[in-house]
Amino acid sequence: MKTFFFRFSIFLILLLFQQAVQAQVTGTVFRDFNGNGTKESAEPLVAGVEVRAYDTTGTQCGTTQTTTLASAPNYTLSGCTGSVRVEFTIPIGACYADDETDYAALGGSTYGSSVQFLANTSAGTRTANFAIHYPDNYGGVPTFEPKLYNVVQRSGNPIPTPSPPFNDITYTANQVSVVSTDYLANGYTFTPSENWFIISEAQRQISITSLALARQTGTLWGNSYSKQAGRLFVSAFLRRHAGMGPGGPGAIYMINTTTPDLTGSLLFANLDALGFPTHAASGAMNIKDNVTRNLVAQPNYSPSTDADAYEQVAKTSLGDLDISENGKFLFTVNLYDRKIYRIDLQNPAAPVPPTAAQITSYAIPDPCTSITNAGDYRPFALKVHRGKLYTGIVCSGQTTADPNPPDFRNTGMRLFIYAYDLGTTNTPTSPTNIYGQGVTYRDADEIQASGNPPSGFGSARWKPWTSTFTTSDQHPLFTDIEFDNSGNILIGLTDRNGYQTGAGNSNLVGAAPFTKGYANGDLIKLVKDTSCNLTPATGVYYQNDFYQDQARWCVPYTNGADPYCHGEIGLGGIAVHHAGDRDEVVSTALNAVVWASNGTITFNNTNGQQVRANELWYDNCDPNTQACFWKAGGVGDMEVMSLPAPIEIGNRVWLDADNDGIQDAGEAGISGVQVQLIKGGTTISTATTDANGNYYFSSATGTDTASIKYGLTQLEPNMAYTVRFPTTTTVAGTTYNLTTAAAGSNRLIDSNAPANGEVTILATDIPVSGANN
């Protein structure tokens, strides 16, 4: 008459607890990025999770919410005696956790689920921990090191006619345009006694692998990695002095990062050819072909004028690029019509080039019209995160009616972040302004100056966009958005003028040499409070900067404190890899290792310190007599390789002592019960419950036991499964039948198995990788 139950909860956890008389239950609820079930140094505590405890009668004996305490534990409740059932509930729509995007983390086989049972013991304090995760932030096992993907821009014409011979790198066509490096690659670290010019290129540029050549892609900015397909998408960008690729200004290219093809066509889509213009058909905003722009096949440090491109930078072609969490849709910003475009890839594992029918556009709000001297709105940045699509906008200070505003108009210039709801169909709706700030924070900041502290005359000041030729001003362009381990927003800004200029190049009427002294962007951290309000973080560096953003070779000379020696060197591309022991952001940067170069610098997100740096290219030219990029911008966005989060199905078979269909405190698990996982009518695995009644099926790597089955590659998202239980089982000589299914109103503590023992898991129950059930 008594029966057993199994339960596979949508939440999994860590270990637990028990106590006897009026004892406390305490524990830690945290984000588990690597799926090992252990809270590590860079895995944050999670606030707002509701914790309830119930005694053997089913009466609630304690409740609380987890807090934002800096150290564990982050919840404690009292008043429960005897055996206890503890339930963790993730709230809906909260700032730190959301039931619509968060799931129980991996490791259920060791740590349980969102429902845990504590035996009646004499311990004064019992512990129940709970690990959650957002699948898109899965960082791999602790030993996994991802790749970093960067786009590199090259001067000249990459697609001349006739096509140049391969291997002659004096041709722009044969220079690398997309590269990968090891995430932990670290170029040379300087000491105060060393000079940058004695350090070899091999010491500065570590583990660089070519993924594409300029002849295949031309000049790029956008960059997004599909973990479902193992493919990198990159998109066209208009940079003065640098030519477009074979797909033109509306092109998106696709790269196989495992086996890169350095000879064939990489073109995936061309928005212009599909009827979505990325520039004007004629006039000032018409992007001419590379030959008409007088871009030559072998620049050989020769200056170019390319006058039309100057005003078109960040106003034509494409901006940022990102991909939906399920890998089915690619998003980009068309800089010409200032709209977001969604491209249906049709098959996440094997993307299909789109027709016009697979492309949809969405308007981007203009937040600048009501602000005095704000100028035109210029969207660029994109980020998909936790069911929303974020876009970054700058009010440029420039208007069509006033293309050459005075530089004091930075008082009206602003940065904005809008968030769209994506829903279940990845359709951007309901854009909401979630953040805005001015750019006057850099009015007194320095790029480089003498004295300690510097004089503060403001050489790093943001100034309005202008049609007037300049090589000495910094014009803000909001290019990237990322999220750190705690969910704070990171903003990547670049200097638009750094992509309109170079060293030794011509001005707009063909006179040379004119040289960009420094391309100076920024990296800003926006700290989130419990109400989701965002506030810029301040730090200990010059002008209260949070990040130590100065050239690496400058750090020893300034004691690492005042980044006025080649300061504000961010170039606007940022990437985050979520790891258990690292909370970092990688940023593209000017002078990352030595001067006259572009590369990447990694910063610690908790204190802003530089951690690693790597150089991507170095221009060894004399700007008085030769033309090159030198200290201008020559890289685009950056992407970090990611992995699909494994999927886990399972939990518990138990003896329902009172036959009410509810898992009560004190009701034991049943060992030795065989449970089958079935897909498409075929049994793909069988597990036998352990001493606690637990069983698990997982696509993660691991060593099988009788109750835990790993490496099940057939476990995929958006698929239906059946979990089959025996309809009877024998315990200590007594035969039991299945208890009542779906009793009560709490699906987390009832029994799922119907009379025939077969539980159906719908495709919608596991919509994405990592949606553990």
Side-chain angles (χ1 to χ4, degrees), residues 545-556:
D545 231 351
F546 182 79
Y547 291 104
Q548 189 184 24
D549 51 353
Q550 62 173 318
R552 188 172 203 178
W553 61 269
C554 288
V555 173

Side-chain angles (χ1 to χ4, degrees), residues 143-157:
T143 56
F144 171 68
E145 180 185 0
K147 296 291 185 181
L148 277 175
Y149 302 121
N150 280 93
V151 299
V152 179
Q153 299 169 355
R154 304 294 186 181
S155 62
N157 181 3

Side-chain angles (χ1 to χ4, degrees), residues 7 85 87 115 654 661-663 746-751:
R7 174 72 212 165
R85 182 182 74 234
E87 300 178 16
V115 179
W654 99 99
I662 302 297
Q663 298 182 76
N746 187 345
R747 65 187 178 86
L748 298 179
I749 60 172
D750 65 5
S751 178

